[in-house]
Amino acid sequence: MKIDIHPKNENDTIQKEIISKIRDYINYKNLEPGDKLPSERKLSEKFEVSRGNVREAIQTLESYGLLISKPQSGTFIADIGPVAMNGMITDILRLEKSDFKSLVETRILLELKTVRLAALRRTEEDLKQIEEALEAYAEKVKNGEDAVQEDLLFHLAIAKACGNSTINTFMLTITPEIITNFTKYHVCDKNIAFIGIQEHREIYEAIKEQDPQLAKEKMKIHFKMLYQYCYNIKD
Amino acid sequence: MKIDIHPKNENDTIQKEIISKIRDYINYKNLEPGDKLPSERKLSEKFEVSRGNVREAIQTLESYGLLISKPQSGTFIADIGPVAMNGMITDILRLEKSDFKSLVETRILLELKTVRLAALRRTEEDLKQIEEALEAYAEKVKNGEDAVQEDLLFHLAIAKACGNSTINTFMLTITPEIITNFTKYHVCDKNIAFIGIQEHREIYEAIKEQDPQLAKEKMKIHFKMLYQYCYNIKD
DNA sequence: CAAACCAATTTGGTTAACCAATTTAAGCCT
DNA sequence: AGGCTTAAATTGGTTAACCAAATTGGTTTG
């Protein structure tokens, strides 16, 4: 059951080195938006790594929107100047894996926003889906079963209704890690779950009545225990 | 200069189909946490696609923390139950590209948090780097040059000082798109930039004095114009 | 002289063969 | 019969050969 993160780690190290070299190259050649990078083949022999590694590094930088790769043409600098390019790549290289505390803190921040926006913007369809998620959660709890999944799906339904695609994406990004950590640290015990039903229902009602302030308050109450728990975790 | 997103789009479609089929397979076989998925080769012939496409889809799901791929062993379901797995994959498939409005709205939300946290948690080293970014920005503006990049780097320096790795990652994710859209829509004109120097300086001072409330207020003022602009963009 | 066309080269993307680690199961010795 | 060893098969990862699109440079033609 032990998860060996070594191989991925090593691969990550190689990729970070390549990204670092790409940054240095961009600086050295003073490449500006629209300029073309050398081909993957040339980069791979210049850096003395495999072409696959170069592709991976380019894809990572592309996912951040720093490079644009055009088929049968080349890889180009995005509409970002040299200064920002340099600073951003340096920051990306410094990125570390999210700790649980940061995850929970971020989740609370995002959800206090999503619930307000959902109250303002939810469609009837959104409302229906939130209600379905609510009922699924309530039934599981009443049967005495574990309901961590249904709990989170309720919150994701709210995120979907908030009408902000970026926040929705972020919520989807952190939720699996949240679930994993919850089950690992036994955050949601079953005795708490019963209180959760009522709290969820009140959040739902506030969204239904399109009362953003009330919705936020109810969400705050819902997060009260989580909030305390979050700040008791050892670093 | 036209960006043809067709090939990437097509590839995305294929990948989404595969992800959808993986979800269906997980449901059909009732796979639970720790269970093993068929090998990439078997999946590729079962779905009648290339193995590369299967790998890509698995990597995407792995990046969301839903699958875990172990070298020379297999691909396994992460610690996430069938219900959440199904719901999350469905949500992921429904994800669309972020619109500018969502991006700005999210940025404002994140930065009002980062600036408060930075005021509370910043180290001396953090402070120094924020100041450096501030000076770089001021000098560019005083020389009458475009300073969008330096502007954003100042904000990223604050994000780095906030001590929350998740929020920091998110800020890095949206910043390139923000820059691209800013230059595209000409959000930051040079006449505004001069006001920006003073606003930046006041934010910096508040962080220096470790006054989170003041820092947040100053950031709100700084975002005032952006806020209005954001809500005037045609959908 | 310019514009249009064509072939050769360069490019990112794709496929298939290969590799090393892991797992499985058969075989051997006690 | 049981436990240990070992070899064959399976697996994700890697590498290299291949492909089609796109660019480029030169040639030809009006």
Side-chain angles (χ1 to χ4, degrees):
Chain A
M1 206 50 193
K2 182 174 69 77
I3 297 174
D4 183 15
I5 58 170
H6 183 62
K8 182 139 205 171
N9 238 354
E10 187 178 347
N11 193 3
D12 258 24
T13 308
I14 296 174
Q15 195 183 331
K16 285 198 172 185
E17 282 175 10
I18 297 176
I19 290 177
S20 165
K21 285 175 181 172
I22 291 177
R23 176 197 54 188
D24 295 342
Y25 182 88
I26 292 175
N27 285 331
Y28 178 61
K29 292 282 186 181
N30 280 312
L31 294 189
E32 294 179 4
D35 286 352
K36 198 166 89 171
L37 236 59
S39 70
E40 296 177 351
R41 288 169 179 81
K42 281 176 186 164
L43 285 179
S44 72
E45 71 178 72
K46 183 191 291 279
F47 298 157
E48 291 177 342
V49 293
S50 78
R51 190 181 154 207
N53 290 133
V54 173
R55 293 195 97 238
E56 217 172 328
I58 289 176
Q59 276 171 15
T60 297
L61 292 175
E62 205 179 356
S63 78
Y64 280 99
L66 300 178
L67 297 180
I68 297 169
S69 189
K70 292 189 190 179
Q72 282 76 44
S73 176
T75 304
F76 301 84
I77 309 287
D79 272 334
I80 292 173
V83 180
M85 178 68 71
N86 190 31
M88 288 221 38
I89 295 183
T90 302
D91 284 347
I92 289 170
L93 290 174
R94 222 178 265 137
L95 273 183
E96 61 222 11
K97 199 179 172 304
S98 289
D99 52 305
F100 189 31
K101 206 167 176 175
S102 293
L103 278 170
V104 173
E105 191 172 82
T106 307
R107 182 194 166 189
I108 292 174
L109 171 69
L110 292 179
E111 292 227 40
L112 291 181
K113 186 75 176 185
T114 57
V115 78
R116 273 179 50 210
L117 293 180
L120 290 169
R121 301 173 181 170
R122 98 283 189 289
T123 65
E124 287 302 315
E125 175 63 22
D126 290 331
L127 198 64
K128 208 185 92 189
Q129 293 196 6
I130 296 173
E131 191 184 4
E132 284 175 9
L134 172 64
E135 295 305 331
Y137 172 70
E139 196 173 318
K140 267 288 183 82
V141 172
K142 282 173 185 166
N143 290 345
E145 296 177 69
D146 180 76
V148 178
Q149 301 174 56
E150 285 77 7
D151 182 4
L152 269 299
L153 286 181
F154 173 76
H155 289 273
L156 282 181
I158 294 173
K160 198 174 1 174
C162 86
N164 183 309
S165 52
T166 309
I167 296 182
N168 190 17
T169 304
F170 287 167
M171 280 294 296
L172 278 171
T173 306
I174 63 175
T175 296
E177 276 186 281
I178 298 269
I179 292 180
T180 304
N181 281 288
F182 271 19
T183 53
K184 187 164 127 197
Y185 292 125
H186 305 287
V187 174
C188 285
D189 282 346
K190 286 177 186 172
N191 50 344
I192 307 178
F194 255 104
I195 309 172
I197 296 180
Q198 183 57 25
E199 292 177 352
H200 275 200
R201 181 149 282 135
E202 288 178 352
I203 293 169
Y204 165 74
E205 289 295 335
I207 294 174
K208 185 181 178 184
E209 300 304 323
Q210 307 197 323
D211 185 336
Q213 198 54 40
L214 181 65
K216 186 181 174 184
E217 287 307 317
K218 293 302 181 186
M219 185 65 86
K220 256 187 182 165
I221 294 171
H222 184 52
F223 276 150
K224 199 176 176 186
M225 258 172 301
L226 180 60
Y227 199 77
Q228 291 173 342
Y229 187 88
C230 165
Y231 279 90
N232 286 334
I233 295 172
K234 60 183 181 301
D235 284 327
Chain B
M1 209 49 194
K2 182 174 68 75
I3 297 175
D4 184 14
I5 58 170
H6 182 62
K8 182 139 205 173
N9 238 354
E10 188 178 345
N11 193 4
D12 258 24
T13 308
I14 295 174
Q15 195 183 335
K16 285 198 171 185
E17 282 173 10
I18 297 176
I19 290 177
S20 165
K21 284 176 181 172
I22 291 177
R23 176 196 55 189
D24 295 342
Y25 182 88
I26 292 175
N27 286 331
Y28 179 62
K29 292 281 186 182
N30 281 312
L31 295 187
E32 295 178 2
D35 286 351
K36 198 167 91 171
L37 237 60
S39 71
E40 297 176 349
R41 288 169 180 80
K42 282 177 185 164
L43 286 179
S44 72
E45 71 179 73
K46 183 192 290 279
F47 299 156
E48 291 177 340
V49 293
S50 78
R51 192 183 153 205
N53 290 134
V54 173
R55 293 196 98 236
E56 216 173 330
I58 288 176
Q59 276 172 13
T60 297
L61 292 176
E62 204 180 355
S63 77
Y64 280 99
L66 300 177
L67 297 180
I68 298 170
S69 190
K70 291 189 189 180
Q72 284 76 45
S73 176
T75 303
F76 301 85
I77 308 288
D79 274 334
I80 292 174
V83 180
M85 178 68 72
N86 190 31
M88 288 218 39
I89 295 183
T90 303
D91 283 347
I92 289 171
L93 289 173
R94 220 177 267 138
L95 273 184
E96 62 222 9
K97 199 179 172 305
S98 288
D99 52 305
F100 188 32
K101 206 167 175 174
S102 294
L103 278 171
V104 173
E105 190 172 82
T106 307
R107 182 192 167 190
I108 292 173
L109 170 70
L110 291 179
E111 292 226 43
L112 291 181
K113 186 76 175 182
T114 57
V115 77
R116 273 178 51 212
L117 294 180
L120 289 168
R121 300 173 181 169
R122 100 283 189 288
T123 64
E124 287 303 315
E125 173 65 23
D126 290 331
L127 197 65
K128 207 184 92 189
Q129 293 196 6
I130 296 173
E131 191 185 3
E132 283 175 10
L134 171 64
E135 295 306 330
Y137 172 72
E139 195 172 320
K140 267 289 183 79
V141 172
K142 282 172 185 167
N143 289 346
E145 299 176 65
D146 181 75
V148 179
Q149 303 174 54
E150 286 77 8
D151 182 5
L152 271 297
L153 285 181
F154 173 76
H155 289 272
L156 283 180
I158 294 173
K160 197 174 0 171
C162 86
N164 183 310
S165 51
T166 309
I167 296 182
N168 191 16
T169 304
F170 287 166
M171 279 294 296
L172 278 172
T173 307
I174 63 174
T175 295
E177 276 186 281
I178 297 269
I179 293 180
T180 303
N181 280 288
F182 271 18
T183 53
K184 187 165 127 196
Y185 293 123
H186 304 286
V187 175
C188 286
D189 282 346
K190 287 178 184 172
N191 50 342
I192 307 178
F194 255 106
I195 309 172
I197 297 181
Q198 183 58 23
E199 291 178 351
H200 274 199
R201 182 148 281 136
E202 286 178 352
I203 293 169
Y204 165 74
E205 289 295 335
I207 294 174
K208 185 179 177 184
E209 300 303 325
Q210 307 198 320
D211 186 336
Q213 197 54 41
L214 181 65
K216 186 181 174 184
E217 286 307 317
K218 293 303 180 185
M219 186 65 86
K220 255 187 183 164
I221 294 171
H222 185 51
F223 276 148
K224 197 175 177 185
M225 256 171 302
L226 179 60
Y227 198 78
Q228 291 173 341
Y229 187 88
C230 166
Y231 279 89
N232 286 335
I233 294 171
K234 59 184 181 301
D235 285 328

